[in-house]
Amino acid sequence: MDNSKLTYEQFHKILRQERLPAAIINMDALDLNCEKIFEPVRPTGKMLRIASKSIRSIPLLRYIMEKDRQLCRGLMCFSVEEAAFCAEQGFDDLLVAYPSVQPSDMKLLGELTAAGKRVMLMADSELHLDAIAAAGRRAKTTCLAVIDIDVSYRPLGGKVHMGVRRSPVRSGERAAELARYSKKKKGLRIVGAMGYEAQIAGLTDDNPFTRKLNPIKKAIRKISVSDVAARRKAATEAMVAEGVKLELVNGGGTGSIYSTTVDDVVTEVTAGSGFFCSHLFSYYNDVKLLPAAFFALQVVRISDPGLVTCHGGGYIASGETGPDRQPIVHLPQDCTLIGLEGGGEVQTPIVLGKSAPELSPGDPVIMRHAKAGELCERFNELILISKGKISDRVPTYRGQGKCFL
Ligand SMILES: Cc1ncc(COP(=O)(O)O)c(C=O)c1O
C-alpha cells in the first residue's frame, strides 16, 4: 500500500483522538522527498546543506541528516541565535545565511567559534566584516565569514531586478575588494561565497495562482541559469585571485536543485522546503515532490448548506501577499477557502465542492501551509505518521520554547 499519499479516510481515522488544530508530517512522503532531493546531488560529490528555516524541528533536521551523513554535513541557519541553539543540540558546520551586526549576535558568534564550533556568518560589506573581525578578536579567536554574491537577473543595465534584494556585491571587482579588505583584519577569515538564485529557486512556473505569468516565469528561470553561473564564477575567481582559500561555494534552493547541482563552481547545494513540500513547492515544472506537511482543523459549525466552518487556520505565509500565501485545503478533495474571508484568525469557512463528502462538527479538514518552516511557528509538536499510523511526536523549535524570527 502506498502510504506516501494518505486519503481523507486515513487522516480521519488517524486523527480521531487528536486535539485539533494539529500539525502532521507524513514520514513516507518525507522519505521519498529526501530521495528526490538527494538523488541529483549525490553523484556530483557536492554537499547538501539543509535550510533549517524550512524545517524548524531539531528531531526532523537530525532525521533528514542521518539518512545520508556523507551528503548532508551541515545546516544553513537563519540567525546566529538559531545556529547557537543547533550547536547546543549537537549540530556543527553552521552557515548563517543572513548578516547581523547586533552586539548579542556578535558575542555569540565569538563564543561559538572559540568553543570550536564551525559557524560562518554572511557578509556583504566592510561593515559586516568589521563586526565579524571584532567578534573574533574579542573572543581571542578567528571568526569565519562567507561573502554573499548577488546573482539576481538584472537585464537592461540593472534597470530590471529579478531575484532577492539582499547583497550589493554584484561583480568580481567588488568581491575582490572585500577579500583584500579582510586580509588587513585580525580575528576574521573569509572561507566561502554564497550566490542564492531566488529568481530560479523561488519562482514557481506551474503555479495555479499565476497561470498567465507561468510562461514568463519559466523563461526567466531558464534564461538566468547561465547568468547565475557566470556571476558566481566571476566573483569566486576574483576572491581566489586575492588569495582567499574558498572552502565552500553555496548556491540554490529546492526550486533550483537541478540547475544549481550542475554548476561546477558550486561545492554545496541548499535545500529545505522541498522536504516538507508545502504547497508553494508543488508548483514547479521540473521539481516534483510529495506533500509531506499538513495541519488539521476541526469543523465546528455549519453556517449554510455546502459550507463548513473550522476553528483557526489563518496561517498566512510570508512573501508578496496574494492568494497563494494562504493555506490550501488538501483533503477532502474539491474543497476551497472563501475568497472574501480566507483563512481566519479564529474561524475558517470552507466551501464543499460537488464531489466533497458531507462534513460534520468534529470532522477534520486537512490543510497545507504555503511555506514549510513557518508551519512550525504555529505548533509546539509535529505528529509523525508512518505507514498510515502515528509513529511519534516531535517538538518544533517553538515546542522547545524557541522563536528566532
Ligand atoms: C540563502 C538561501 N538559500 C536557500 C534558500 C532556499 O531554501 P528552500 O529550499 O527552503 O527554498 C533560501 C530561501 O529563502 C535562502 O534564503
Side-chain angles (χ1 to χ4, degrees):
M1 190 172 173
D2 180 8
N3 283 306
S4 63
K5 290 179 193 146
L6 299 174
T7 62
Y8 179 68
E9 288 66 34
Q10 283 177 296
F11 272 114
H12 199 289
K13 196 167 155 215
I14 292 164
L15 296 171
R16 212 167 26 213
Q17 303 297 327
E18 294 299 322
R19 174 240 175 234
L20 304 184
I24 302 140
I25 306 295
N26 181 350
M27 300 301 279
D28 296 285
L30 176 69
D31 288 346
L32 291 175
N33 290 343
C34 287
E35 273 316 304
K36 259 271 160 88
I37 292 167
F38 294 172
E39 196 182 74
V41 191
R42 261 193 199 118
T44 64
K46 298 183 202 289
M47 165 180 149
L48 188 91
R49 191 174 284 281
I50 302 169
S52 60
K53 73 171 179 64
S54 309
I55 307 289
R56 302 192 206 196
S57 163
I58 293 289
L60 282 187
L61 282 169
R62 216 172 268 141
Y63 177 84
I64 297 168
M65 265 193 144
E66 272 164 18
K67 279 181 169 288
D68 193 333
R69 290 291 322 180
Q70 189 56 29
L71 184 72
C72 310
R73 298 193 292 273
L75 295 181
M76 173 176 279
C77 292
F78 57 95
S79 79
V80 180
E81 285 177 358
E82 192 235 353
F85 176 56
C86 291
E88 205 179 281
Q89 303 288 320
F91 292 90
D92 204 354
D93 195 345
L94 306 163
L95 172 61
V96 181
Y98 317 97
S100 174
V101 292
Q102 66 180 335
S104 56
D105 279 343
M106 304 325 289
K107 184 166 178 282
L108 252 186
L109 177 69
E111 286 166 1
L112 286 165
T113 310
K117 287 285 178 182
R118 181 171 166 82
V119 183
M120 298 156 278
L121 183 58
M122 206 52 57
D124 65 36
S125 64
E126 284 80 359
L127 198 128
H128 291 152
L129 293 175
D130 284 347
I132 298 170
R137 287 195 302 273
R138 220 169 293 132
K140 299 193 171 28
T141 184
T142 302
C143 285
L144 309 180
V146 169
I147 301 296
D148 192 348
I149 313 296
D150 180 48
V151 291
S152 304
Y153 185 53
R154 290 164 63 89
L156 305 177
K159 286 201 184 82
V160 178
H161 179 106
M162 285 175 237
V164 279
R165 297 273 186 180
R166 293 185 187 174
S167 171
V169 182
R170 304 209 161 94
S171 63
E173 295 82 74
R174 183 64 186 132
E177 247 170 55
L178 291 178
R180 265 196 304 280
Y181 185 79
S182 75
K183 280 194 238 168
K184 294 181 264 162
K185 292 271 154 191
K186 272 218 174 87
L188 162 76
R189 183 156 54 91
I190 294 179
V191 291
M194 179 186 84
Y196 170 52
E197 58 271 59
Q199 72 278 19
I200 304 175
L203 203 61
T204 48
D205 55 356
D206 189 20
N207 186 336
F209 295 93
T210 61
R211 281 190 207 287
K212 285 199 181 125
L213 285 176
N214 285 347
I216 300 167
K217 289 159 112 187
K218 190 173 177 185
I220 295 167
R221 279 167 64 88
K222 197 165 172 225
I223 294 166
S224 60
V225 169
S226 55
D227 185 68
V228 168
R231 278 166 196 274
R232 262 194 304 244
K233 188 165 192 276
T236 49
E237 279 179 359
M239 288 167 72
V240 170
E242 287 298 332
V244 174
K245 214 173 143 282
L246 281 179
E247 294 168 22
L248 69 97
V249 179
N250 182 283
T254 299
S256 71
I257 192 95
Y258 296 117
S259 58
T260 312
T261 301
V262 296
D263 183 339
D264 289 338
V265 167
V266 168
T267 64
E268 52 173 67
V269 183
T270 299
S273 304
F275 294 110
F276 283 179
C277 188
S278 49
H279 81 77
L280 280 175
F281 289 79
S282 284
Y283 309 144
Y284 295 102
N285 274 303
D286 54 354
V287 186
K288 294 290 177 200
L289 299 157
L290 289 173
F294 311 91
F295 60 93
L297 301 176
Q298 181 201 179
V299 172
V300 288
R301 47 171 46 167
I302 298 170
S303 68
D304 297 272
L307 279 177
V308 293
T309 302
C310 297
H311 203 184
Y315 312 147
I316 311 303
S318 60
E320 184 191 12
T321 44
D324 68 350
R325 303 289 148 159
Q326 297 257 3
I328 57 168
V329 184
H330 179 62
L331 288 170
Q333 272 170 9
D334 200 20
C335 293
T336 47
L337 298 184
I338 295 180
L340 284 175
E341 263 194 74
E345 186 180 4
V346 283
Q347 298 276 272
T348 297
I350 284 168
V351 183
L352 306 177
K354 283 206 180 75
S355 62
E358 256 183 47
L359 297 181
S360 307
D363 285 333
V365 172
I366 313 301
M367 314 284 293
R368 289 171 71 197
H369 202 289
K371 291 285 199 80
E374 288 177 31
L375 168 73
C376 294
E377 297 295 343
R378 291 288 186 164
F379 294 91
N380 289 325
E381 172 185 273
L382 300 169
I383 297 176
L384 309 187
I385 301 179
S386 182
K387 302 193 172 46
K389 290 201 176 91
I390 295 180
S391 59
D392 208 350
R393 291 163 197 274
V394 295
T396 58
Y397 282 5
R398 179 195 157 126
Q400 290 192 266
K402 299 292 174 187
C403 172
F404 300 105
L405 279 184

